[in-house]
Amino acid sequence: MTTLAQYLESHATKPIASTITTLATASVSISHLLAKGALAGIHGEAGNENIQGEAQKKLDVISNDLLLGALTANPHCAGVASEELDEISPANRDGTLLVTFDPLDGSSNIDINMTVGTIFSVLPYHRTGDTATEADFLQAGSQQVAAGYFIYGTSTMLALTLGKGVAMFSFDPNTQTYILINDNVTISESTAEYAINASNYRYWLAPMKEYIDGLVAGDTGVRNKDYNTRWVAAMIADVHRILIRGGVFMYPFDTKIAGKAGKLRLMYEANPMSFVIEQAGGASTDGVKRIMDIAPTHIHQRIPVVLGAKEEVAFVKALHDKAGILANGDKA
Ligand code: F6P
């Protein structure tokens, strides 16, 4: 039996091991709060009072505060960026790492007792000034030195990549430790399962409509086989399912909200999940480019996402190429 601590000792540098340990410790606290649910006063909107007349805090706020406090106290951490905060938080001057996180992905699932999770990405800090700034974070996903997620579902799990494959851990409530359950998670290149919010169909670009039309047509269409849909509406759960049994996940470019290229965030969701998926043998694109090659322009940048089984990701990209789609959704 290998614990997370043992795994990190033999697979990670000291700063990375320390940072992942800090994230794991915070994840255990978040998991405990989630397990208590309504009894911990975490349901409902922030600003409400619970039955005891105590002020309720939304768990995404609590999770954010927990992670931010723990990471900024870690001497290896030079700066932290959270999906929940407008500005980045500079941390320790001598730190060598930057961490971005989505403290509670899928947080609307909390009130209905469904899966949520914490997504994280670790980047190197190339000292440019006295303390870390937003510009230091704007590195392509290919620069990540570690990434993964803690998923709080029927059990709590950690999927972790340090750039050499993906390891999966399961949290043991008895020993309060993460235990390695698979040190080489791989996903199949082909699949018959796809995840997309099809209610956005009318806002998609033509190649995405063409792709989904092909899947819906099943064995009567160009793909010559039947496909099945799954959509949890929490990226963390959809990606976890893909790691476990394959599939393709999409939140593509849409015109629903003018000026937004997609819904998901590059630095908190798309890059870390792309790193995990690629390291498990899958692929990831925004439709035009490999996601991890995109040079970020803004810490909260949004991006279209198609990731998972290689064959499907390549198929989607080929349709975009054929249609001459550019990165901003325009035609060439
Ligand atoms: O971060 C946004 C998010 O909650 C993802 O986790 C999820 O995949 C997506 O939004 C769900 O979006 P929608 O509600 O449009 O289906």
Side-chain angles (χ1 to χ4, degrees):
M1 205 168 67
T2 307
T3 63
L4 175 62
Q6 289 163 337
Y7 180 87
L8 290 171
E9 176 136 16
S10 53
H11 290 76
T13 62
K14 207 171 161 220
I16 294 174
S18 166
T19 304
I20 304 295
T21 304
T22 296
L23 286 160
T25 305
S27 80
V28 172
S29 306
I30 296 169
S31 156
H32 285 156
L33 284 168
L34 281 162
K36 273 192 107 177
L39 303 177
I42 56 165
H43 288 185
E45 295 297 313
N48 290 353
E49 286 193 344
N50 66 14
I51 199 146
Q52 285 90 24
E54 297 157 346
Q56 284 186 333
K57 261 197 168 182
K58 277 177 88 181
L59 195 58
D60 40 12
V61 178
I62 302 174
S63 306
N64 178 68
D65 294 351
L66 265 169
L67 286 159
L68 190 67
L71 287 165
T72 50
N74 183 312
H76 300 289
C77 189
V80 184
S82 163
E83 198 197 49
E84 293 287 323
L85 301 174
D86 290 347
E87 309 281 333
I88 70 111
S89 307
N92 298 294
R93 282 161 184 256
D94 298 327
T96 56
L97 299 172
L98 302 170
V99 182
T100 76
F101 62 80
D102 178 354
L104 218 50
D105 180 66
S107 55
S108 61
N109 271 356
I110 298 171
D111 288 1
I112 57 166
N113 205 3
M114 276 179 61
T115 299
V116 291
T118 300
I119 310 173
F120 61 89
S121 159
V122 184
L123 289 159
Y125 174 49
H126 307 294
R127 187 172 306 284
T128 54
D130 231 12
T131 54
T133 63
E134 178 174 329
D136 295 316
F137 283 84
L138 302 182
Q139 305 178 43
S142 55
Q143 300 304 302
Q144 293 171 104
V145 292
Y149 60 80
F150 299 92
I151 184 163
Y152 315 113
T154 49
S155 60
T156 294
M157 294 177 102
L158 159 65
L160 172 69
T161 182
L162 301 168
K164 291 196 176 96
V166 177
M168 188 77 74
F169 300 82
S170 194
F171 181 68
D172 179 354
N174 292 332
T175 58
Q176 297 285 302
T177 49
Y178 281 96
I179 306 292
L180 183 68
I181 55 166
N182 185 350
D183 65 357
N184 186 24
V185 180
T186 49
I187 63 176
S188 169
E189 290 194 8
S190 59
T191 184
E193 200 161 77
Y194 68 101
I196 196 163
N197 183 344
S199 68
N200 293 322
Y201 183 91
R202 70 185 183 283
Y203 301 111
W204 297 338
L205 298 173
M208 187 51 62
K209 288 182 176 168
E210 186 181 340
Y211 174 63
I212 297 299
D213 288 346
L215 304 191
V216 171
D219 66 2
T220 66
V222 285
R223 304 305 298 278
N224 253 322
K225 68 175 183 186
D226 285 339
Y227 282 78
N228 195 26
T229 312
R230 286 287 179 270
W231 185 248
V232 184
M235 184 193 200
I236 192 128
D238 284 310
V239 169
H240 187 67
R241 186 186 58 254
I242 290 172
L243 272 194
I244 301 298
R245 67 170 196 220
V248 59
F249 167 90
M250 290 155 282
Y251 214 110
F253 183 98
D254 69 41
T255 55
K256 197 171 180 177
I257 305 171
K260 281 186 186 162
K263 182 174 186 191
L264 302 180
R265 315 276 182 147
L266 176 60
M267 305 297 292
Y268 311 104
E269 294 164 319
N271 270 341
M273 291 310 208
S274 297
F275 195 19
V276 170
I277 288 290
E278 282 197 9
Q279 286 295 318
S284 165
T285 179
D286 67 350
V288 178
K289 246 184 131 166
R290 175 182 178 234
I291 285 187
M292 290 208 294
D293 285 339
I294 293 169
T297 54
H298 188 267
I299 193 83
H300 293 301
Q301 186 175 346
R302 291 176 196 262
I303 195 94
V305 174
V306 177
L307 56 76
K310 263 187 179 166
E311 270 180 17
E312 297 301 321
V313 175
F315 200 94
V316 174
K317 184 177 165 7
L319 289 175
H320 281 72
D321 289 349
K322 193 181 78 183
I325 299 294
L326 302 173
N328 61 2
D330 290 343
K331 276 193 157 206

